[in-house]
Amino acid sequence: MNLPENLKYTKDHEWVRIEGDVAYVGITDFAQSELGDIVYVDIDTVDKQISREDVFGTVEAVKTVSDLFSPLSGTVQEFNDKLESSPELVNSDPYGEGWIIKMTIDNTSEVDELLTAAAYRELIGQ
């Protein structure tokens, strides 16, 4: 199970990479393996203000659809448009090319409430 130490994680299986005042968000290697083959990613919150734990979109796998929960409060700036034609990037490269959204960070104190890789590993029993 790949869990990069430089990322933060949520109990809802999203990861967060902070770069300055923006955050890249995707789903964890654990989440994509549990979902199976990703066939569609639906994000309808670009340019919208969202609060932490709001649903910002969905990931559709062959057998299920799963909500995506925002790890932070902020504005969704960008959807990874590579996922429109290649949603399987979420499976093959969840922490790289398979990122889902880029968002601003409204409240930096929320970052401190995210899980470390060790805490997330404990959550999923790894």
Side-chain angles (χ1 to χ4, degrees), residues 52-90:
R52 184 173 62 172
E53 299 185 4
D54 282 357
V55 173
F56 68 83
T58 58
V59 172
E60 185 176 331
V62 173
K63 296 181 181 174
T64 189
V65 175
S66 184
D67 286 337
L68 297 167
F69 297 94
S70 181
L72 302 165
S73 299
T75 301
V76 177
Q77 294 181 307
E78 185 179 338
F79 166 62
N80 182 356
D81 59 7
K82 289 181 184 174
L83 300 181
E84 289 181 19
S85 60
S86 301
E88 68 277 2
L89 287 170
V90 174

Coordinates of all heavy atoms in Angstrom, one line a residue, residues 52-90:
R52 N -15.2 22.3 4.4 CA -14.6 21.0 4.8 C -15.8 20.0 5.0 O -16.8 20.3 5.6 CB -13.8 21.1 6.0 CG -13.1 19.8 6.4 CD -12.1 20.0 7.5 NE -12.9 20.4 8.7 CZ -12.4 20.4 9.9 NH1 -11.1 20.2 10.1 NH2 -13.1 20.8 10.9
E53 N -15.6 18.8 4.4 CA -16.5 17.7 4.5 C -17.7 17.8 3.5 O -18.6 16.9 3.5 CB -16.9 17.3 5.9 CG -15.7 16.9 6.7 CD -16.0 16.5 8.1 OE1 -17.2 16.4 8.5 OE2 -15.1 16.2 8.9
D54 N -17.8 18.9 2.7 CA -18.8 19.0 1.7 C -18.5 18.0 0.6 O -17.3 17.7 0.3 CB -18.9 20.4 1.1 CG -19.6 21.4 1.9 OD1 -20.1 21.1 3.0 OD2 -19.6 22.6 1.5
V55 N -19.5 17.5 -0.1 CA -19.3 16.6 -1.2 C -18.9 17.5 -2.4 O -19.6 18.5 -2.7 CB -20.5 15.8 -1.6 CG1 -20.4 15.0 -2.9 CG2 -20.9 14.8 -0.5
F56 N -17.8 17.2 -3.0 CA -17.3 18.1 -4.2 C -17.4 17.4 -5.5 O -17.2 17.9 -6.5 CB -15.9 18.7 -4.0 CG -14.8 17.7 -4.0 CD1 -14.2 17.3 -5.2 CD2 -14.3 17.1 -2.8 CE1 -13.2 16.4 -5.2 CE2 -13.2 16.3 -2.8 CZ -12.7 15.8 -4.1
G57 N -17.8 16.1 -5.5 CA -17.9 15.3 -6.7 C -18.1 13.9 -6.4 O -18.3 13.5 -5.2
T58 N -18.0 13.0 -7.4 CA -18.2 11.6 -7.3 C -17.1 10.9 -8.2 O -16.7 11.4 -9.2 CB -19.6 11.1 -7.6 OG1 -19.9 11.4 -9.0 CG2 -20.6 11.6 -6.7
V59 N -16.8 9.7 -7.7 CA -16.0 8.8 -8.5 C -16.8 7.6 -8.8 O -17.4 7.0 -7.9 CB -14.7 8.4 -7.7 CG1 -14.0 7.3 -8.4 CG2 -13.8 9.5 -7.5
E60 N -16.9 7.2 -10.1 CA -17.7 6.1 -10.5 C -16.8 4.9 -10.9 O -15.9 5.1 -11.7 CB -18.6 6.4 -11.6 CG -19.6 5.4 -12.1 CD -20.5 5.8 -13.2 OE1 -20.8 7.0 -13.3 OE2 -21.0 4.9 -13.9
A61 N -17.0 3.8 -10.2 CA -16.3 2.6 -10.5 C -17.2 1.6 -11.2 O -18.4 1.9 -11.4 CB -15.7 1.9 -9.3
V62 N -16.8 0.5 -11.7 CA -17.6 -0.4 -12.4 C -18.9 -0.8 -11.6 O -20.0 -0.9 -12.2 CB -16.8 -1.7 -12.8 CG1 -17.7 -2.7 -13.4 CG2 -15.7 -1.3 -13.7
K63 N -18.7 -1.0 -10.3 CA -19.9 -1.5 -9.5 C -20.5 -0.5 -8.5 O -21.4 -0.8 -7.9 CB -19.4 -2.8 -8.8 CG -19.1 -3.9 -9.7 CD -18.7 -5.1 -8.9 CE -18.4 -6.3 -9.9 NZ -17.8 -7.4 -9.2
T64 N -19.9 0.7 -8.4 CA -20.4 1.6 -7.4 C -20.0 3.0 -7.7 O -19.2 3.3 -8.6 CB -19.7 1.2 -6.0 OG1 -20.4 2.0 -5.0 CG2 -18.3 1.5 -6.0
V65 N -20.7 4.0 -7.1 CA -20.4 5.4 -7.2 C -20.1 5.9 -5.7 O -20.8 5.5 -4.8 CB -21.6 6.2 -7.7 CG1 -21.3 7.7 -7.7 CG2 -21.9 5.7 -9.2
S66 N -19.0 6.6 -5.6 CA -18.6 7.0 -4.3 C -18.5 8.6 -4.2 O -17.9 9.2 -5.1 CB -17.3 6.4 -3.9 OG -16.9 6.7 -2.6
D67 N -19.0 9.2 -3.2 CA -18.9 10.6 -3.0 C -17.5 11.0 -2.6 O -16.8 10.2 -2.0 CB -19.8 11.1 -1.9 CG -21.3 11.2 -2.3 OD1 -21.6 11.2 -3.5 OD2 -22.2 11.1 -1.4
L68 N -17.1 12.2 -3.0 CA -15.8 12.7 -2.7 C -16.0 13.9 -1.7 O -16.8 14.8 -2.0 CB -15.1 13.3 -3.9 CG -14.7 12.2 -5.0 CD1 -14.3 12.9 -6.3 CD2 -13.6 11.3 -4.5
F69 N -15.4 13.8 -0.5 CA -15.6 14.8 0.5 C -14.4 15.7 0.6 O -13.2 15.3 0.6 CB -15.8 14.1 1.9 CG -17.0 13.3 1.9 CD1 -16.9 11.9 1.6 CD2 -18.3 13.8 2.2 CE1 -18.0 11.1 1.6 CE2 -19.4 13.0 2.2 CZ -19.3 11.6 1.9
S70 N -14.6 17.0 0.6 CA -13.6 18.0 0.7 C -12.8 17.9 2.0 O -13.4 18.0 3.1 CB -14.1 19.4 0.5 OG -13.0 20.3 0.5
P71 N -11.5 17.8 1.9 CA -10.7 17.8 3.1 C -10.5 19.1 3.8 O -10.1 19.2 5.0 CB -9.3 17.3 2.7 CG -9.3 17.7 1.2 CD -10.7 17.7 0.7
L72 N -10.8 20.2 3.1 CA -10.6 21.6 3.6 C -11.7 22.5 3.0 O -12.4 22.2 2.1 CB -9.2 22.1 3.0 CG -8.0 21.3 3.4 CD1 -6.8 21.7 2.5 CD2 -7.6 21.5 4.8
S73 N -11.8 23.7 3.7 CA -12.7 24.7 3.2 C -11.9 25.6 2.2 O -10.7 25.9 2.4 CB -13.2 25.6 4.3 OG -13.9 24.8 5.2
G74 N -12.5 25.9 1.1 CA -11.8 26.7 0.1 C -12.6 26.8 -1.2 O -13.8 26.4 -1.3
T75 N -12.0 27.2 -2.3 CA -12.7 27.3 -3.6 C -12.0 26.3 -4.5 O -10.7 26.3 -4.6 CB -12.5 28.7 -4.2 OG1 -13.2 29.6 -3.2 CG2 -13.2 28.8 -5.5
V76 N -12.8 25.5 -5.2 CA -12.3 24.6 -6.2 C -11.8 25.4 -7.4 O -12.6 26.1 -8.1 CB -13.3 23.5 -6.6 CG1 -12.8 22.6 -7.7 CG2 -13.8 22.7 -5.4
Q77 N -10.5 25.4 -7.7 CA -10.0 26.1 -8.8 C -9.9 25.4 -10.1 O -10.1 26.0 -11.2 CB -8.5 26.6 -8.5 CG -8.4 27.5 -7.3 CD -7.0 27.9 -7.1 OE1 -6.1 27.0 -7.0 NE2 -6.7 29.2 -7.1
E78 N -9.7 24.1 -10.0 CA -9.4 23.3 -11.2 C -9.8 21.9 -11.0 O -9.6 21.3 -9.9 CB -7.9 23.5 -11.5 CG -7.5 22.8 -12.8 CD -6.0 23.0 -13.0 OE1 -5.4 24.0 -12.4 OE2 -5.4 22.2 -13.8
F79 N -10.3 21.3 -12.1 CA -10.5 19.8 -12.2 C -9.4 19.3 -13.1 O -9.1 19.9 -14.1 CB -11.9 19.5 -12.7 CG -12.1 18.1 -13.1 CD1 -12.0 17.0 -12.2 CD2 -12.4 17.8 -14.5 CE1 -12.2 15.7 -12.6 CE2 -12.6 16.5 -14.9 CZ -12.5 15.4 -13.9
N80 N -8.9 18.1 -12.7 CA -7.8 17.5 -13.6 C -8.5 17.0 -14.8 O -9.1 15.9 -14.8 CB -7.1 16.4 -12.8 CG -6.0 15.7 -13.6 OD1 -5.8 16.0 -14.7 ND2 -5.4 14.8 -12.9
D81 N -8.4 17.8 -15.9 CA -9.1 17.4 -17.1 C -8.6 16.2 -17.8 O -9.2 15.6 -18.7 CB -9.2 18.6 -18.1 CG -7.8 19.1 -18.5 OD1 -6.8 18.5 -18.2 OD2 -7.8 20.2 -19.2
K82 N -7.4 15.7 -17.4 CA -6.9 14.4 -17.9 C -7.9 13.3 -17.6 O -7.9 12.3 -18.3 CB -5.5 14.1 -17.4 CG -4.4 14.9 -17.9 CD -3.1 14.5 -17.3 CE -2.0 15.4 -17.8 NZ -0.7 15.2 -17.1
L83 N -8.6 13.5 -16.5 CA -9.5 12.4 -16.0 C -10.7 12.3 -16.9 O -11.4 11.3 -16.8 CB -9.9 12.6 -14.5 CG -8.7 12.7 -13.5 CD1 -9.2 12.9 -12.1 CD2 -7.9 11.4 -13.6
E84 N -11.1 13.3 -17.7 CA -12.2 13.2 -18.6 C -12.0 12.1 -19.6 O -12.9 11.3 -19.8 CB -12.5 14.5 -19.3 CG -13.0 15.6 -18.3 CD -13.3 16.9 -19.0 OE1 -13.4 16.9 -20.3 OE2 -13.4 17.9 -18.3
S85 N -10.8 12.0 -20.1 CA -10.6 10.9 -21.1 C -9.9 9.7 -20.5 O -9.9 8.6 -21.1 CB -9.8 11.5 -22.3 OG -8.5 12.0 -21.8
S86 N -9.3 9.9 -19.4 CA -8.5 8.8 -18.7 C -8.8 8.7 -17.2 O -7.9 8.9 -16.4 CB -7.0 9.0 -19.0 OG -6.7 9.1 -20.3
P87 N -10.0 8.3 -16.9 CA -10.3 8.2 -15.4 C -9.5 7.2 -14.7 O -9.3 7.2 -13.5 CB -11.8 7.9 -15.4 CG -12.1 7.3 -16.7 CD -11.2 8.0 -17.7
E88 N -9.0 6.2 -15.5 CA -8.2 5.1 -14.9 C -6.9 5.6 -14.3 O -6.2 4.9 -13.5 CB -7.9 4.0 -15.9 CG -7.0 4.4 -17.0 CD -7.6 5.2 -18.2 OE1 -8.9 5.5 -18.2 OE2 -6.9 5.5 -19.2
L89 N -6.5 6.9 -14.5 CA -5.3 7.5 -13.9 C -5.5 7.5 -12.4 O -4.5 7.4 -11.6 CB -5.0 8.9 -14.4 CG -4.5 9.0 -15.8 CD1 -4.5 10.5 -16.3 CD2 -3.1 8.4 -15.9
V90 N -6.7 7.6 -11.9 CA -7.0 7.5 -10.5 C -6.5 6.2 -9.9 O -6.0 6.1 -8.8 CB -8.5 7.8 -10.1 CG1 -8.8 7.6 -8.7 CG2 -8.8 9.2 -10.6

